[in-house]
Amino acid sequence: MVFIFMFSITEVCGAKRVGYFGPAQFYIALKLIAAAQSGFPVRIESIKNELPLPRFMALKNDTEVRYGTPAEFHGVKFQVPHATLEKNSYKRTDEGDKQEPKSPPMSPICSPPSSPSTYQRIPLNYGYGKARGGLEQQHGAPYEVRHSTHQQDGPSSGSYGAKSALTCSTPNRSVSVEREQQDSSTQYSDDPWRITEEQRDYYINQFRSLQPDLNAFISGSIAKNFFTKSKLPILELSHIWELSDVDCDGALTLPEFCAAFHLVVARKNGYQLPETLPETLLPEYLQAACLKPIRDCALFDSYSEPLPSSQQTRDFSRTEKSSAEEVPDNSALLQDGKKDDKQALKVSTTLKTIPKEFQHLTVKAAAQEPNALRARPRSRSYSSTSIEDAMKKGEEPPTPPPRPQKSHSRASSLDLNKIFQQSTQAVRSGWLPPPPPALPPRPSVSQTEQPSEVELHPQMNRPPSQAEENSSAKKEVVLAQPPSKPARRKLRTEAQGLETPELSPTINVTSSLPAVKPHLPVQKQSSKQKRAIQTAIRKNKEANAVLARLNSELQQQLKEVHKERIALETQLEQLRPVTVL
Amino acid sequence: GSCDLLCSQNYPLYIRSVPTENELKFHYTVHTSLDVVDEKISAMGKALVDQRELYLGLLYPTEDYKVYGYVTNSKVKFVMVVDSSNTALRDNEIRSMFRKLHNSYTDIMCNPFYNPGDRIHSRAFDTMVNSMMMQVC
């Protein structure tokens, strides 16, 4: 190539501006080379044309040749942007190096190794439908489009029936052809260890649900409970933590959390965990990305501005299309494309499923009552995107989570489990951003708050532990609550008609804390208060009953243990004279 | 040489031997040395925070090796067995090795998925121990 061409290509593709050849720049550069070789001017617009593959003369590796043929084959097959094909066929420089180590992680999903390893898979195909494992790519429509991985359909079509994926993704592809070329830069190809915008947003929302302050940490126990829901084995979770908690402080910052979440999702999708943290998941790398909501494509600033929102809506609509198992109502919600709805879904679905672990999620959601009301009749699915669906595969079943401690089984295991639960709950209750409850001694004000906590908890699968948490939380929080109580009462009256009134107070707590309104109509309050007091009394009685039962069980165990001890001591006594002899 | 990590109830959390034959012998050695370790712990009534303990001497007639011990504040014991033939090892080096072990152990503890008393499966810990032992043996 003539140097002038190369120089101008470098400039146009943005490498000069950015300072390096990233995947985006590389692809564009290749495309521009093809354009130049075909006689088109070196401009961005020229890559939109259908161009033959660029001809490279230098390398004569087997790999080069191997990549060339299938690429051409796919070039014929798909009349879509060749940039995507090119980038796979001419993996020479850093791209090539990067992909080699990545191919092993992809191997569980890849077709037999005969296919060129650089044919990049969709990194994380969160099953839109039920499909997992091998069928993931068929549901990776948005990712296919965004990552421009058309070529993979070729070798994998035999194995995975990706033709259906092809058909479902081609319309999408045609829609987004233009955007795709510009997006290829923003989507960082098919690196499974890169976090896309959609994923990042989801992770950030999850982070927020655990810890509202995005700059703060998630403590180890909370993160542990959260990730345990994903039903991965503890060993793997431990390894994931090891990888992602870079500063080894026992807590996760936002980028660390994103990395950990990403690894969890990757593992659930069949990828093997890497030995070391990939550089795209490093906190420093993610920190910069997390802080920038807009995709950091320096190249196509003008194009990318309108993209995020439109793509999001497009994604959601696609989600609706392809997720057969989702309740249709969910998708209706999804089309709003708002994150609030997502959170509302989360809130409502957690109410429905009420696995204990989600309690803190519901508590932390902010001002979600109207959405909660609307979304509640939905099924349990968490999903606003397929990502959540994937996570939800682990969290979805309304059946109790893997922990066995719910049941009141006899024997010593109960003690240990209870103790362990108490300790985690104590921590968790400490994390609950000012949970609403108050102690009985407090007059009317507290009565309204009690139902919130008490109602919330007995619904959980493990009433005894709930009650314990209840009491401990009450003690912790009462002192901190006075200013917000009037506000909570007011909001509570609004929400009185809801099926799950207990949700709103907890939600209101978080949302109303900043806005204290001491002046409220009193008449409304008194009638509501009476009702509230009655419910509170009822709930307290329930809690009492539960606690009493627990107490009696523990007493029994204590007796048993005493008996054992006595038996052992008598044995010892019997043996002792023997040894003396 | 061998490097072992035992918890307060004296069951092993982690054992690594290089070279890997004679591993059983190392296990046995470590176990017998536990008595001495316990003795030393109980002996240090005051100033219990003396983190380092050097145990030198369990020499068998057939082969020579030195056993070093180290106890953390939570009664977790590290025991290291090295060949006496490796006379280049000095006290300071042993100390630094124990310090590294201790640091890695605290990193493991930071992992919320690790329950104290579990065997240690952390790969980072493995790599660290391996590199250390390669250095020594």
Side-chain angles (χ1 to χ4, degrees), chain A residues 220 224 227-228 234-235 237-239 241-242 248-250 275, chain B residues 106-108 110-115 118 121-125:
Chain A
K224 169 177 179 170
F227 286 117
T228 315
I234 295 284
L235 197 56
L237 289 172
S238 174
H239 186 58
W241 177 279
E242 214 179 288
C248 283
D249 56 357
E275 287 296 319
Chain B
T106 48
D107 285 345
I108 289 178
C110 284
N111 188 332
F113 297 101
Y114 173 76
N115 298 316
D118 289 350
H121 299 282
S122 154
R123 295 178 213 187
F125 193 78

PDB file of all heavy atoms in Angstrom, chain A residues 220 224 227-228 234-235 237-239 241-242 248-250 275, chain B residues 106-108 110-115 118 121-125:
ATOM      1  N   GLY A 220     -18.817  -7.659  51.834  1.00  0.00           N
ATOM      2  CA  GLY A 220     -18.627  -9.028  51.381  1.00  0.00           C
ATOM      3  C   GLY A 220     -19.851  -9.890  51.582  1.00  0.00           C
ATOM      4  O   GLY A 220     -20.230 -10.662  50.697  1.00  0.00           O
ATOM      5  N   LYS A 224     -21.935 -11.688  48.833  1.00  0.00           N
ATOM      6  CA  LYS A 224     -21.980 -13.153  48.865  1.00  0.00           C
ATOM      7  C   LYS A 224     -23.412 -13.647  48.714  1.00  0.00           C
ATOM      8  O   LYS A 224     -23.697 -14.522  47.891  1.00  0.00           O
ATOM      9  CB  LYS A 224     -21.391 -13.632  50.186  1.00  0.00           C
ATOM     10  CG  LYS A 224     -21.650 -15.093  50.397  1.00  0.00           C
ATOM     11  CD  LYS A 224     -21.012 -15.568  51.665  1.00  0.00           C
ATOM     12  CE  LYS A 224     -21.327 -17.025  51.847  1.00  0.00           C
ATOM     13  NZ  LYS A 224     -20.562 -17.621  52.911  1.00  0.00           N
ATOM     14  N   PHE A 227     -24.555 -13.087  45.124  1.00  0.00           N
ATOM     15  CA  PHE A 227     -24.011 -13.973  44.098  1.00  0.00           C
ATOM     16  C   PHE A 227     -24.361 -15.427  44.353  1.00  0.00           C
ATOM     17  O   PHE A 227     -24.356 -16.239  43.427  1.00  0.00           O
ATOM     18  CB  PHE A 227     -22.502 -13.796  43.996  1.00  0.00           C
ATOM     19  CG  PHE A 227     -22.111 -12.525  43.328  1.00  0.00           C
ATOM     20  CD1 PHE A 227     -21.396 -11.557  43.996  1.00  0.00           C
ATOM     21  CD2 PHE A 227     -22.492 -12.277  42.031  1.00  0.00           C
ATOM     22  CE1 PHE A 227     -21.051 -10.379  43.369  1.00  0.00           C
ATOM     23  CE2 PHE A 227     -22.157 -11.099  41.397  1.00  0.00           C
ATOM     24  CZ  PHE A 227     -21.429 -10.153  42.075  1.00  0.00           C
ATOM     25  N   THR A 228     -24.674 -15.734  45.586  1.00  0.00           N
ATOM     26  CA  THR A 228     -25.081 -17.111  45.852  1.00  0.00           C
ATOM     27  C   THR A 228     -26.386 -17.426  45.153  1.00  0.00           C
ATOM     28  O   THR A 228     -26.663 -18.575  44.820  1.00  0.00           O
ATOM     29  CB  THR A 228     -25.251 -17.321  47.362  1.00  0.00           C
ATOM     30  OG1 THR A 228     -24.146 -16.747  48.034  1.00  0.00           O
ATOM     31  CG2 THR A 228     -25.330 -18.790  47.693  1.00  0.00           C
ATOM     32  N   ILE A 234     -19.921 -22.808  45.276  1.00  0.00           N
ATOM     33  CA  ILE A 234     -19.224 -21.856  46.126  1.00  0.00           C
ATOM     34  C   ILE A 234     -17.781 -21.709  45.685  1.00  0.00           C
ATOM     35  O   ILE A 234     -17.216 -20.605  45.718  1.00  0.00           O
ATOM     36  CB  ILE A 234     -19.275 -22.304  47.594  1.00  0.00           C
ATOM     37  CG1 ILE A 234     -20.700 -22.275  48.099  1.00  0.00           C
ATOM     38  CG2 ILE A 234     -18.400 -21.420  48.454  1.00  0.00           C
ATOM     39  CD1 ILE A 234     -21.212 -20.898  48.399  1.00  0.00           C
ATOM     40  N   LEU A 235     -17.217 -22.797  45.256  1.00  0.00           N
ATOM     41  CA  LEU A 235     -15.819 -22.732  44.848  1.00  0.00           C
ATOM     42  C   LEU A 235     -15.634 -21.748  43.697  1.00  0.00           C
ATOM     43  O   LEU A 235     -14.696 -20.942  43.682  1.00  0.00           O
ATOM     44  CB  LEU A 235     -15.373 -24.133  44.410  1.00  0.00           C
ATOM     45  CG  LEU A 235     -13.878 -24.354  44.344  1.00  0.00           C
ATOM     46  CD1 LEU A 235     -13.270 -24.041  45.676  1.00  0.00           C
ATOM     47  CD2 LEU A 235     -13.599 -25.787  43.966  1.00  0.00           C
ATOM     48  N   LEU A 237     -17.670 -19.307  42.914  1.00  0.00           N
ATOM     49  CA  LEU A 237     -17.942 -17.959  43.377  1.00  0.00           C
ATOM     50  C   LEU A 237     -16.728 -17.415  44.113  1.00  0.00           C
ATOM     51  O   LEU A 237     -16.391 -16.232  44.012  1.00  0.00           O
ATOM     52  CB  LEU A 237     -19.159 -17.962  44.297  1.00  0.00           C
ATOM     53  CG  LEU A 237     -20.488 -18.208  43.599  1.00  0.00           C
ATOM     54  CD1 LEU A 237     -21.587 -18.381  44.618  1.00  0.00           C
ATOM     55  CD2 LEU A 237     -20.815 -17.049  42.688  1.00  0.00           C
ATOM     56  N   SER A 238     -16.106 -18.301  44.858  1.00  0.00           N
ATOM     57  CA  SER A 238     -14.922 -17.869  45.577  1.00  0.00           C
ATOM     58  C   SER A 238     -13.842 -17.432  44.596  1.00  0.00           C
ATOM     59  O   SER A 238     -13.174 -16.409  44.798  1.00  0.00           O
ATOM     60  CB  SER A 238     -14.434 -19.037  46.439  1.00  0.00           C
ATOM     61  OG  SER A 238     -13.240 -18.731  47.052  1.00  0.00           O
ATOM     62  N   HIS A 239     -13.719 -18.180  43.549  1.00  0.00           N
ATOM     63  CA  HIS A 239     -12.710 -17.819  42.571  1.00  0.00           C
ATOM     64  C   HIS A 239     -13.061 -16.517  41.874  1.00  0.00           C
ATOM     65  O   HIS A 239     -12.206 -15.666  41.612  1.00  0.00           O
ATOM     66  CB  HIS A 239     -12.574 -18.941  41.544  1.00  0.00           C
ATOM     67  CG  HIS A 239     -11.469 -18.718  40.588  1.00  0.00           C
ATOM     68  ND1 HIS A 239     -10.159 -18.557  40.987  1.00  0.00           N
ATOM     69  CD2 HIS A 239     -11.458 -18.584  39.258  1.00  0.00           C
ATOM     70  CE1 HIS A 239      -9.399 -18.362  39.934  1.00  0.00           C
ATOM     71  NE2 HIS A 239     -10.158 -18.374  38.863  1.00  0.00           N
ATOM     72  N   TRP A 241     -14.709 -14.133  43.102  1.00  0.00           N
ATOM     73  CA  TRP A 241     -14.425 -13.040  44.025  1.00  0.00           C
ATOM     74  C   TRP A 241     -12.952 -12.733  44.030  1.00  0.00           C
ATOM     75  O   TRP A 241     -12.539 -11.565  44.011  1.00  0.00           O
ATOM     76  CB  TRP A 241     -14.886 -13.435  45.425  1.00  0.00           C
ATOM     77  CG  TRP A 241     -14.553 -12.388  46.415  1.00  0.00           C
ATOM     78  CD1 TRP A 241     -13.352 -12.169  47.028  1.00  0.00           C
ATOM     79  CD2 TRP A 241     -15.420 -11.364  46.887  1.00  0.00           C
ATOM     80  NE1 TRP A 241     -13.421 -11.079  47.855  1.00  0.00           N
ATOM     81  CE2 TRP A 241     -14.683 -10.589  47.795  1.00  0.00           C
ATOM     82  CE3 TRP A 241     -16.755 -11.049  46.635  1.00  0.00           C
ATOM     83  CZ2 TRP A 241     -15.241  -9.492  48.446  1.00  0.00           C
ATOM     84  CZ3 TRP A 241     -17.299  -9.977  47.296  1.00  0.00           C
ATOM     85  CH2 TRP A 241     -16.545  -9.212  48.188  1.00  0.00           C
ATOM     86  N   GLU A 242     -12.183 -13.789  44.083  1.00  0.00           N
ATOM     87  CA  GLU A 242     -10.740 -13.602  44.108  1.00  0.00           C
ATOM     88  C   GLU A 242     -10.279 -12.801  42.903  1.00  0.00           C
ATOM     89  O   GLU A 242      -9.409 -11.949  42.992  1.00  0.00           O
ATOM     90  CB  GLU A 242     -10.100 -14.983  44.055  1.00  0.00           C
ATOM     91  CG  GLU A 242      -8.843 -15.137  44.809  1.00  0.00           C
ATOM     92  CD  GLU A 242      -8.379 -16.562  44.665  1.00  0.00           C
ATOM     93  OE1 GLU A 242      -9.015 -17.427  45.271  1.00  0.00           O
ATOM     94  OE2 GLU A 242      -7.403 -16.772  43.923  1.00  0.00           O
ATOM     95  N   CYS A 248      -8.489  -6.669  47.379  1.00  0.00           N
ATOM     96  CA  CYS A 248      -8.569  -7.628  48.473  1.00  0.00           C
ATOM     97  C   CYS A 248      -9.008  -6.985  49.779  1.00  0.00           C
ATOM     98  O   CYS A 248      -8.391  -7.181  50.822  1.00  0.00           O
ATOM     99  CB  CYS A 248      -7.216  -8.309  48.687  1.00  0.00           C
ATOM    100  SG  CYS A 248      -6.908  -9.553  47.444  1.00  0.00           S
ATOM    101  N   ASP A 249     -10.044  -6.203  49.680  1.00  0.00           N
ATOM    102  CA  ASP A 249     -10.482  -5.557  50.907  1.00  0.00           C
ATOM    103  C   ASP A 249     -11.777  -6.159  51.426  1.00  0.00           C
ATOM    104  O   ASP A 249     -12.334  -5.678  52.402  1.00  0.00           O
ATOM    105  CB  ASP A 249     -10.679  -4.058  50.672  1.00  0.00           C
ATOM    106  CG  ASP A 249     -11.652  -3.791  49.542  1.00  0.00           C
ATOM    107  OD1 ASP A 249     -12.117  -4.765  48.903  1.00  0.00           O
ATOM    108  OD2 ASP A 249     -11.936  -2.620  49.283  1.00  0.00           O
ATOM    109  N   GLY A 250     -12.255  -7.191  50.762  1.00  0.00           N
ATOM    110  CA  GLY A 250     -13.479  -7.808  51.241  1.00  0.00           C
ATOM    111  C   GLY A 250     -14.732  -7.052  50.856  1.00  0.00           C
ATOM    112  O   GLY A 250     -15.816  -7.358  51.335  1.00  0.00           O
ATOM    113  N   GLU A 275      -7.905 -17.621  34.548  1.00  0.00           N
ATOM    114  CA  GLU A 275      -7.025 -17.726  35.708  1.00  0.00           C
ATOM    115  C   GLU A 275      -6.758 -16.368  36.314  1.00  0.00           C
ATOM    116  O   GLU A 275      -6.631 -16.211  37.506  1.00  0.00           O
ATOM    117  CB  GLU A 275      -5.706 -18.373  35.292  1.00  0.00           C
ATOM    118  CG  GLU A 275      -5.819 -19.846  35.029  1.00  0.00           C
ATOM    119  CD  GLU A 275      -6.196 -20.615  36.284  1.00  0.00           C
ATOM    120  OE1 GLU A 275      -5.671 -20.300  37.366  1.00  0.00           O
ATOM    121  OE2 GLU A 275      -7.036 -21.513  36.178  1.00  0.00           O
TER     122      GLU A 275
ATOM    123  N   THR B 106      -4.566 -13.728  54.755  1.00  0.00           N
ATOM    124  CA  THR B 106      -5.560 -12.700  55.066  1.00  0.00           C
ATOM    125  C   THR B 106      -6.346 -12.324  53.823  1.00  0.00           C
ATOM    126  O   THR B 106      -7.545 -12.032  53.893  1.00  0.00           O
ATOM    127  CB  THR B 106      -4.904 -11.442  55.653  1.00  0.00           C
ATOM    128  OG1 THR B 106      -3.805 -11.077  54.831  1.00  0.00           O
ATOM    129  CG2 THR B 106      -4.422 -11.681  57.049  1.00  0.00           C
ATOM    130  N   ASP B 107      -5.695 -12.349  52.679  1.00  0.00           N
ATOM    131  CA  ASP B 107      -6.442 -12.083  51.451  1.00  0.00           C
ATOM    132  C   ASP B 107      -7.533 -13.117  51.250  1.00  0.00           C
ATOM    133  O   ASP B 107      -8.643 -12.809  50.830  1.00  0.00           O
ATOM    134  CB  ASP B 107      -5.505 -12.089  50.236  1.00  0.00           C
ATOM    135  CG  ASP B 107      -4.671 -10.836  50.170  1.00  0.00           C
ATOM    136  OD1 ASP B 107      -5.017  -9.876  50.885  1.00  0.00           O
ATOM    137  OD2 ASP B 107      -3.676 -10.808  49.421  1.00  0.00           O
ATOM    138  N   ILE B 108      -7.200 -14.339  51.545  1.00  0.00           N
ATOM    139  CA  ILE B 108      -8.208 -15.385  51.422  1.00  0.00           C
ATOM    140  C   ILE B 108      -9.361 -15.119  52.369  1.00  0.00           C
ATOM    141  O   ILE B 108     -10.527 -15.276  52.028  1.00  0.00           O
ATOM    142  CB  ILE B 108      -7.591 -16.755  51.726  1.00  0.00           C
ATOM    143  CG1 ILE B 108      -6.661 -17.156  50.598  1.00  0.00           C
ATOM    144  CG2 ILE B 108      -8.666 -17.798  51.910  1.00  0.00           C
ATOM    145  CD1 ILE B 108      -5.994 -18.457  50.847  1.00  0.00           C
ATOM    146  N   CYS B 110     -10.482 -12.421  53.321  1.00  0.00           N
ATOM    147  CA  CYS B 110     -11.335 -11.336  52.848  1.00  0.00           C
ATOM    148  C   CYS B 110     -12.403 -11.831  51.899  1.00  0.00           C
ATOM    149  O   CYS B 110     -13.402 -11.156  51.677  1.00  0.00           O
ATOM    150  CB  CYS B 110     -10.493 -10.287  52.108  1.00  0.00           C
ATOM    151  SG  CYS B 110      -9.575  -9.260  53.226  1.00  0.00           S
ATOM    152  N   ASN B 111     -12.201 -12.966  51.337  1.00  0.00           N
ATOM    153  CA  ASN B 111     -13.178 -13.495  50.395  1.00  0.00           C
ATOM    154  C   ASN B 111     -14.395 -13.978  51.163  1.00  0.00           C
ATOM    155  O   ASN B 111     -14.289 -14.892  51.964  1.00  0.00           O
ATOM    156  CB  ASN B 111     -12.530 -14.655  49.627  1.00  0.00           C
ATOM    157  CG  ASN B 111     -13.410 -15.141  48.491  1.00  0.00           C
ATOM    158  OD1 ASN B 111     -14.617 -15.034  48.553  1.00  0.00           O
ATOM    159  ND2 ASN B 111     -12.789 -15.681  47.472  1.00  0.00           N
ATOM    160  N   PRO B 112     -15.549 -13.375  50.917  1.00  0.00           N
ATOM    161  CA  PRO B 112     -16.704 -13.738  51.729  1.00  0.00           C
ATOM    162  C   PRO B 112     -17.169 -15.163  51.478  1.00  0.00           C
ATOM    163  O   PRO B 112     -17.926 -15.712  52.271  1.00  0.00           O
ATOM    164  CB  PRO B 112     -17.781 -12.750  51.286  1.00  0.00           C
ATOM    165  CG  PRO B 112     -17.377 -12.322  49.936  1.00  0.00           C
ATOM    166  CD  PRO B 112     -15.889 -12.358  49.924  1.00  0.00           C
ATOM    167  N   PHE B 113     -16.731 -15.748  50.392  1.00  0.00           N
ATOM    168  CA  PHE B 113     -17.150 -17.109  50.122  1.00  0.00           C
ATOM    169  C   PHE B 113     -16.284 -18.123  50.836  1.00  0.00           C
ATOM    170  O   PHE B 113     -16.514 -19.318  50.747  1.00  0.00           O
ATOM    171  CB  PHE B 113     -17.117 -17.383  48.621  1.00  0.00           C
ATOM    172  CG  PHE B 113     -18.079 -16.527  47.859  1.00  0.00           C
ATOM    173  CD1 PHE B 113     -17.633 -15.420  47.174  1.00  0.00           C
ATOM    174  CD2 PHE B 113     -19.419 -16.813  47.872  1.00  0.00           C
ATOM    175  CE1 PHE B 113     -18.525 -14.621  46.492  1.00  0.00           C
ATOM    176  CE2 PHE B 113     -20.311 -16.018  47.181  1.00  0.00           C
ATOM    177  CZ  PHE B 113     -19.863 -14.922  46.497  1.00  0.00           C
ATOM    178  N   TYR B 114     -15.289 -17.638  51.490  1.00  0.00           N
ATOM    179  CA  TYR B 114     -14.424 -18.556  52.211  1.00  0.00           C
ATOM    180  C   TYR B 114     -14.881 -18.655  53.645  1.00  0.00           C
ATOM    181  O   TYR B 114     -15.009 -17.648  54.340  1.00  0.00           O
ATOM    182  CB  TYR B 114     -12.983 -18.067  52.168  1.00  0.00           C
ATOM    183  CG  TYR B 114     -12.068 -18.892  53.030  1.00  0.00           C
ATOM    184  CD1 TYR B 114     -11.646 -20.136  52.616  1.00  0.00           C
ATOM    185  CD2 TYR B 114     -11.649 -18.432  54.268  1.00  0.00           C
ATOM    186  CE1 TYR B 114     -10.828 -20.909  53.403  1.00  0.00           C
ATOM    187  CE2 TYR B 114     -10.825 -19.197  55.057  1.00  0.00           C
ATOM    188  CZ  TYR B 114     -10.420 -20.447  54.624  1.00  0.00           C
ATOM    189  OH  TYR B 114      -9.609 -21.197  55.403  1.00  0.00           O
ATOM    190  N   ASN B 115     -15.177 -19.857  54.066  1.00  0.00           N
ATOM    191  CA  ASN B 115     -15.545 -20.035  55.459  1.00  0.00           C
ATOM    192  C   ASN B 115     -14.334 -20.490  56.236  1.00  0.00           C
ATOM    193  O   ASN B 115     -13.683 -21.458  55.844  1.00  0.00           O
ATOM    194  CB  ASN B 115     -16.624 -21.101  55.583  1.00  0.00           C
ATOM    195  CG  ASN B 115     -17.880 -20.700  54.866  1.00  0.00           C
ATOM    196  OD1 ASN B 115     -18.321 -19.566  54.971  1.00  0.00           O
ATOM    197  ND2 ASN B 115     -18.445 -21.617  54.102  1.00  0.00           N
ATOM    198  N   ASP B 118     -12.484 -24.033  56.121  1.00  0.00           N
ATOM    199  CA  ASP B 118     -12.515 -24.764  54.859  1.00  0.00           C
ATOM    200  C   ASP B 118     -11.104 -25.011  54.387  1.00  0.00           C
ATOM    201  O   ASP B 118     -10.189 -24.282  54.724  1.00  0.00           O
ATOM    202  CB  ASP B 118     -13.218 -23.947  53.776  1.00  0.00           C
ATOM    203  CG  ASP B 118     -14.699 -23.876  54.042  1.00  0.00           C
ATOM    204  OD1 ASP B 118     -15.164 -24.599  54.940  1.00  0.00           O
ATOM    205  OD2 ASP B 118     -15.355 -23.089  53.352  1.00  0.00           O
ATOM    206  N   HIS B 121      -8.711 -23.364  48.539  1.00  0.00           N
ATOM    207  CA  HIS B 121      -8.627 -23.715  47.128  1.00  0.00           C
ATOM    208  C   HIS B 121      -8.209 -22.531  46.279  1.00  0.00           C
ATOM    209  O   HIS B 121      -8.219 -22.605  45.071  1.00  0.00           O
ATOM    210  CB  HIS B 121      -9.993 -24.204  46.637  1.00  0.00           C
ATOM    211  CG  HIS B 121     -10.449 -25.430  47.370  1.00  0.00           C
ATOM    212  ND1 HIS B 121      -9.948 -26.671  47.086  1.00  0.00           N
ATOM    213  CD2 HIS B 121     -11.325 -25.597  48.379  1.00  0.00           C
ATOM    214  CE1 HIS B 121     -10.523 -27.555  47.886  1.00  0.00           C
ATOM    215  NE2 HIS B 121     -11.357 -26.941  48.680  1.00  0.00           N
ATOM    216  N   SER B 122      -7.875 -21.466  46.939  1.00  0.00           N
ATOM    217  CA  SER B 122      -7.593 -20.244  46.197  1.00  0.00           C
ATOM    218  C   SER B 122      -6.410 -20.422  45.269  1.00  0.00           C
ATOM    219  O   SER B 122      -5.340 -20.865  45.672  1.00  0.00           O
ATOM    220  CB  SER B 122      -7.298 -19.127  47.197  1.00  0.00           C
ATOM    221  OG  SER B 122      -6.483 -18.161  46.604  1.00  0.00           O
ATOM    222  N   ARG B 123      -6.643 -20.059  44.018  1.00  0.00           N
ATOM    223  CA  ARG B 123      -5.560 -20.243  43.059  1.00  0.00           C
ATOM    224  C   ARG B 123      -4.449 -19.234  43.280  1.00  0.00           C
ATOM    225  O   ARG B 123      -3.280 -19.527  43.017  1.00  0.00           O
ATOM    226  CB  ARG B 123      -6.111 -20.099  41.638  1.00  0.00           C
ATOM    227  CG  ARG B 123      -7.089 -21.196  41.341  1.00  0.00           C
ATOM    228  CD  ARG B 123      -7.677 -21.066  39.975  1.00  0.00           C
ATOM    229  NE  ARG B 123      -9.053 -21.553  39.996  1.00  0.00           N
ATOM    230  CZ  ARG B 123      -9.789 -21.702  38.930  1.00  0.00           C
ATOM    231  NH1 ARG B 123      -9.322 -21.386  37.756  1.00  0.00           N
ATOM    232  NH2 ARG B 123     -11.014 -22.140  39.032  1.00  0.00           N
ATOM    233  N   ALA B 124      -4.831 -18.069  43.716  1.00  0.00           N
ATOM    234  CA  ALA B 124      -3.791 -17.076  43.970  1.00  0.00           C
ATOM    235  C   ALA B 124      -2.863 -17.569  45.065  1.00  0.00           C
ATOM    236  O   ALA B 124      -1.631 -17.435  44.976  1.00  0.00           O
ATOM    237  CB  ALA B 124      -4.431 -15.747  44.374  1.00  0.00           C
ATOM    238  N   PHE B 125      -3.456 -18.153  46.056  1.00  0.00           N
ATOM    239  CA  PHE B 125      -2.652 -18.683  47.142  1.00  0.00           C
ATOM    240  C   PHE B 125      -1.740 -19.792  46.638  1.00  0.00           C
ATOM    241  O   PHE B 125      -0.547 -19.844  46.980  1.00  0.00           O
ATOM    242  CB  PHE B 125      -3.588 -19.214  48.234  1.00  0.00           C
ATOM    243  CG  PHE B 125      -2.916 -19.512  49.522  1.00  0.00           C
ATOM    244  CD1 PHE B 125      -2.582 -18.495  50.391  1.00  0.00           C
ATOM    245  CD2 PHE B 125      -2.624 -20.820  49.887  1.00  0.00           C
ATOM    246  CE1 PHE B 125      -1.972 -18.764  51.605  1.00  0.00           C
ATOM    247  CE2 PHE B 125      -2.005 -21.089  51.095  1.00  0.00           C
ATOM    248  CZ  PHE B 125      -1.686 -20.069  51.951  1.00  0.00           C
TER     249      PHE B 125
END
